Amino acid sequence: MNINTKILHDYPVIDPVTGSSSIPKYQTSTFHQKNVFTHTGFSYTRFGNPTVEAAEKCIASLENAQFSLAFSSGMAAINAVLFLLSKGDHLVLGKNIYGGTFQSIHLFLARFGIDCTFVDETDIDSWQKAIKKETKMFYIETPSNPLLTITDIKKVTELANEYQILTVADNTFMTPISQHPLDLGVDIVIHSATKFINGHSDVVAGLVATNNEELYQQLKEHQKALGGILGPEDAWLLLLGVKTLGLRMEKSVRNASELANFLVNHPKVTNVYYPGLEQHAGHSIHQKQCEDCGAILSFEVDSVKQIETLFTHCRVPIVAVSLGGVESILSYPWAMSHASMPEKDRLAMGVTETLVRLSCGIEDVEDLIADLDDALNAM
Ligand SMILES: *Cc1c(COP(=O)(O)O)cnc(C)c1O
């Protein structure tokens, strides 16, 4: 089955009890047991819920995985995975990492005696050099946020396999429409389903998928014990949103590509980061491991004084934290997604005070271009 058919048919999409063509919202915390020693497969919603299970089976299908789990947020999913590490273990990750992941590592892992090394994710030698005998996990995010640097997934997983290191990939930016980390040798794939998968800026959710049963059993225990489960209402909204993922991505990616070309040629823009541009350093690696170039780009303007003018003059995109909605979202990583990072770390990864990130929605591209052009010229 191809992906757009899978999105509509390859997981529970019909309620087995009534035949309802929309999986009902099983808005319940618990399930009556006719016999005290048995249950229907569901006993308590923190341990499992039919609406949530449908969302889990959906991401398993889309990521070509046997096992999957849903969480209350992308961060809950990431933390459940990071909890696979124990005292004395060593974690290697790219220096261009999602701000929340960076914060979690500094808040918890250091205190729990887990050592971390940040590497240049675009350079395979950098991953190799970071390996110690305690290294247990490689953590990949490609394209990265917000600079869209590219990590060669296959090269990193091959290196990890040589040393029996687990690999984890945050696949939020590409979605399962165009990048399949498990097929490239990654052990665990994570999504902030808040973004493109749900796609309507109305749910916060996280998903995890794997083909390793032992890892799944451990993560299932983490889901139960840490308690960051997805609620039935949000799972239901996610199931509604995901049905148009393929269509939405097609339009958003096309818009991003046209906007990138427009911005590259704009005199007020000093730099554009988009993996679809031939001059992007990771362009060929990205082409090799993905089916399209994604719907997110970032760009730089000349001075910090222009930032406020730019944001206040944009009328089409919403100005907000987050990405992956049907509406375009313009954000300012310096003060939004990466604000929790110390200034020197932000600058080291290239998150400057003049960097702007645009998540392209499904609007008519002429309107997006005209709007950005006005705002840029107002600076
Ligand atoms: C948003 C995001 C997260 C965190 O997800 P939440 O749903 O906000 O908890 C993690 N990784 C990436 C790449 C993201 O964009």
Side-chain angles (χ1 to χ4, degrees):
M1 223 185 254
N2 293 304
I3 192 116
N4 280 300
T5 312
K6 290 212 288 185
I7 285 177
L8 295 165
H9 299 286
D10 193 33
Y11 56 97
V13 290
I14 293 167
D15 179 37
V17 181
T18 61
S20 152
S21 69
S22 158
I23 288 287
K25 212 182 291 173
Y26 283 92
Q27 192 68 46
T28 183
S29 60
T30 193
F31 300 82
H32 173 63
Q33 297 182 204
K34 275 191 203 151
N35 177 314
V36 70
F37 295 111
T38 59
H39 57 69
T40 58
F42 298 100
S43 61
Y44 183 59
T45 280
R46 180 157 48 81
F47 309 156
N49 173 286
T51 316
V52 177
E53 193 181 270
E56 292 178 333
K57 291 195 165 151
C58 173
I59 193 62
S61 165
L62 302 188
E63 284 289 8
N64 304 325
Q66 278 176 276
F67 311 103
S68 55
L69 293 159
F71 294 87
S72 55
S73 67
M75 281 315 304
I78 289 166
N79 285 319
V81 170
L82 292 177
F83 268 55
L84 291 169
L85 296 165
S86 305
K87 187 175 170 184
D89 287 348
H90 176 233
L91 164 70
V92 180
L93 58 168
K95 67 180 185 325
N96 281 295
I97 196 104
Y98 178 71
T101 310
F102 183 89
Q103 189 180 24
S104 179
I105 282 164
H106 287 275
L107 265 178
F108 304 116
L109 297 198
R111 237 180 340 111
F112 297 167
I114 297 156
D115 186 21
C116 295
T117 304
F118 291 92
V119 299
D120 172 0
E121 65 278 355
T122 64
D123 175 15
I124 190 71
D125 291 339
S126 180
W127 292 87
Q128 167 98 55
K129 283 193 197 113
I131 298 172
K132 307 181 192 182
K133 71 174 193 310
E134 297 82 9
T135 307
K136 282 283 153 60
M137 188 187 283
F138 276 179
Y139 189 101
I140 306 170
E141 206 179 303
T142 182
S144 70
N145 180 25
L147 288 159
L148 295 308
T149 61
I150 303 300
T151 304
D152 191 323
I153 300 177
K154 209 153 184 203
K155 280 207 176 132
V156 173
T157 57
E158 279 167 6
L159 178 64
N161 286 342
E162 248 179 78
Y163 293 86
Q164 291 174 353
I165 296 166
L166 206 63
T167 46
V168 175
D170 181 332
N171 201 25
T172 302
F173 269 39
M174 287 323 293
T175 85
I177 291 292
S178 62
Q179 180 165 271
H180 291 97
L182 298 182
D183 296 351
L184 297 169
V186 163
D187 298 297
I188 300 170
V189 60
I190 302 177
H191 283 280
S192 167
T194 311
K195 315 293 168 56
F196 294 105
I197 289 183
N198 175 66
H200 294 75
S201 305
D202 53 8
V203 165
V204 175
L207 298 166
V208 164
T210 181
N211 279 310
N212 181 320
E213 183 162 15
E214 201 183 314
L215 287 174
Y216 165 71
Q217 293 301 349
Q218 273 177 280
L219 291 168
K220 176 79 190 162
E221 291 296 307
H222 292 190
Q223 183 196 42
K224 272 192 200 174
L226 292 168
I229 54 152
L230 187 61
E233 167 103 27
D234 285 346
W236 184 84
L237 280 164
L238 195 158
L239 287 167
L240 185 66
V242 76
K243 289 185 181 179
T244 54
L245 176 65
L247 271 180
R248 286 186 279 109
M249 289 315 290
E250 213 176 295
K251 176 69 170 155
S252 290
V253 169
R254 217 177 325 128
N255 283 355
S257 161
E258 292 196 29
L259 279 160
N261 286 323
F262 159 75
L263 290 167
V264 159
N265 294 311
H266 201 287
K268 295 282 178 75
V269 174
T270 55
N271 243 321
V272 180
Y273 305 96
Y274 182 61
L277 295 171
E278 259 165 54
Q279 60 266 40
H280 186 284
H283 177 71
S284 62
I285 294 166
H286 185 81
Q287 295 280 59
K288 192 182 67 174
Q289 62 195 14
C290 293
E291 277 156 49
D292 64 54
C293 292
I296 298 163
L297 56 88
S298 55
F299 60 94
E300 254 167 323
V301 295
D302 216 20
S303 82
V304 63
K305 283 187 295 220
Q306 300 174 322
I307 290 289
E308 196 170 349
T309 317
L310 174 69
F311 278 84
T312 45
H313 278 78
C314 267
R315 283 176 314 264
V316 177
I318 64 166
V319 174
V321 171
S322 199
L323 55 100
V326 281
E327 67 288 297
S328 291
I329 303 178
L330 195 66
S331 62
Y332 184 45
W334 180 263
M336 292 178 171
S337 56
H338 289 66
S340 64
M341 226 180 231
E343 206 170 298
K344 73 165 183 13
D345 293 310
R346 272 178 276 171
L347 292 173
M349 69 183 275
V351 176
T352 63
E353 281 184 278
T354 51
L355 184 76
V356 177
R357 189 187 70 198
L358 179 63
S359 162
C360 298
I362 61 171
E363 297 94 344
D364 291 308
V365 75
E366 304 77 24
D367 294 327
L368 285 171
I369 289 175
D371 190 42
L372 268 174
D373 195 34
D374 281 350
L376 287 165
N377 292 331
M379 297 189 319

